[in-house]
């Protein structure tokens, strides 16, 4: 969140951090058993939260690790976590049911807010933490993005059309959301002014996906086709 580092996962399911200028890469999970992926910084920028899958027990946990390799388990039977901007709420998927739930750190209570198969994907909070943007598996087998009240209630579909939509990321200005079409690995931007989507790089001719805004919202990082970056 302080805009100084990027967290990412490599092909061996290790979580790394790297400076935004590409210097000082550091493997944070090289000594942690299991597959480590889906990283995001905690709101205070001190730790990286990630999902760990332990094949020996077939279990998923949400854990944190800091640059000094101090590791903590923060939630069992959970994966694909994301924090609200103020750090009070943690949205995550329950591995046993694949339901979307929110944990309130102030009360210590969790609540399922989106029942049923919700697409196994990532989620994100909007700016004030009232809405959670998440994917839902549709009848045609694709995924679309929905906005769900943090306390539960009626979900609002945001994306339509072709493709399978995931990896939402809210802009700090509140105007935009980046997301990825998983079928083509193409990055899209959704406008909250017009409620329409458009390709970010329509004439690129190469794979680009999984975008994430900087703290100021004037830049974003994304994954580029192997061989180009």
């Amino acid at each position: 969140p302080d805009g100084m580092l990027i967290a990412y996962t490599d092909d061996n399911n290790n979580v790394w951090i790297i400076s935004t200028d590409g210097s000082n890469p550091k493997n944070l999970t090289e000594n942690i058993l299991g597959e480590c992926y889906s990283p995001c910084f905690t709101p205070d920028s001190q730790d990286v939260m990630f999902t760990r899958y332990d094949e020996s027990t077939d279990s998923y946990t949400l854990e944190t690790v800091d640059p000094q390799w101090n590791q903590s388990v923060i939630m069992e039977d959970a994966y694909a976590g994301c924090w609200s901007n103020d750090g009070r709420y943690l949205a995550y998927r329950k591995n046993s049911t694949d339901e979307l739930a929110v944990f309130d750190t102030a009360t210590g209570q969790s609540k399922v807010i989106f029942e049923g198969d919700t697409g196994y994907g990532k989620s994100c909070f909007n700016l004030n933490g009232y809405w959670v943007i998440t994917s839902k598996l549709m009848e045609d087998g694709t995924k679309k993005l929905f906005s769900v009240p943090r306390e539960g209630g009626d979900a609002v579909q945001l994306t339509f059309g072709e493709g399978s939509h995931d990896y939402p990321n809210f802009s700090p200005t509140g105007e935009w959301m980046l997301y990825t079409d998983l079928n083509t690995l193409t990055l899209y931007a959704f406008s909250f002014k017009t409620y329409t989507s458009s390709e970010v790089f329509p004439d690129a001719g190469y794979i680009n996906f999984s975008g994430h805004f900087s703290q100021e919202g004037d830049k974003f990082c994304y994954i580029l086709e192997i061989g180009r970056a």
Side-chain angles (χ1 to χ4, degrees), residues 15-61:
V15 171
W16 293 67
I17 54 173
I18 190 171
S19 298
T20 52
D21 63 3
S23 63
N24 302 315
K26 188 172 188 179
N27 189 337
L28 299 182
T29 59
E30 58 184 338
N31 297 316
I32 298 176
L33 296 177
E35 300 177 6
C36 303
Y37 58 95
S38 192
C40 69
F41 285 96
T42 53
D44 61 6
S45 298
Q46 298 303 304
D47 303 295
V48 176
M49 182 176 67
F50 62 95
T51 299
R52 183 170 76 92
Y53 171 66
D54 186 343
E55 186 177 10
S56 65
T57 58
D58 192 28
S59 62
Y60 289 82
T61 52

Side-chain angles (χ1 to χ4, degrees), residues 14 24 52 73 85 92 106 118 149 198 201 219:
N14 278 309
N24 302 315
R52 183 170 76 92
V73 176
N85 288 336
Y92 64 96
T118 49
S198 58
F201 304 111
K219 295 183 285 290

Side-chain angles (χ1 to χ4, degrees), residues 166-229:
D166 207 339
Y167 299 114
N169 181 250
F170 216 85
S171 73
T173 63
E175 295 181 55
W176 299 95
M177 175 183 67
L178 293 173
Y179 69 92
T180 296
D181 180 354
L182 297 180
N183 291 352
T184 59
L185 290 181
T186 302
L187 191 62
Y188 282 80
F190 176 88
S191 169
F192 282 95
K193 288 184 176 180
T194 64
Y195 275 70
T196 58
S197 299
S198 58
E199 284 190 46
V200 176
F201 304 111
D203 302 317
Y206 51 80
I207 290 172
N208 53 95
F209 65 102
S210 192
H212 194 100
F213 281 103
S214 65
Q215 183 184 32
E216 297 81 10
D218 58 341
K219 295 183 285 290
F220 61 86
C221 64
Y222 63 100
I223 298 175
L224 192 63
E225 181 181 16
I226 293 175
R228 296 181 181 268

Side-chain angles (χ1 to χ4, degrees), residues 38 51 79-82 91-94 98-100 117-124 132-137 143 145 165-168 182:
S38 192
T51 299
Y79 67 97
C82 68
Y92 64 96
R93 305 288 179 134
K94 298 181 69 173
D98 293 315
E99 296 170 320
L100 182 68
D117 188 339
T118 49
Y120 305 98
K122 293 280 290 182
S123 304
C124 69
V132 181
I133 315 299
T134 192
S135 59
K136 176 178 173 58
L137 190 63
K143 296 197 292 185
L145 292 172
H165 307 154
D166 207 339
Y167 299 114
L182 297 180

Side-chain angles (χ1 to χ4, degrees), residues 82-132:
C82 68
W83 291 99
S84 60
N85 288 336
D86 62 4
R88 174 172 175 174
Y89 299 100
L90 171 64
Y92 64 96
R93 305 288 179 134
K94 298 181 69 173
N95 178 55
S96 55
T97 62
D98 293 315
E99 296 170 320
L100 182 68
V102 171
F103 175 73
D104 185 343
T105 62
T107 65
Q109 300 296 313
S110 288
K111 180 178 182 178
V112 172
I113 65 169
F114 208 28
E115 297 181 351
D117 188 339
T118 49
Y120 305 98
K122 293 280 290 182
S123 304
C124 69
F125 281 91
N126 74 331
L127 292 185
N128 63 16
Y130 181 79
W131 296 93
V132 181

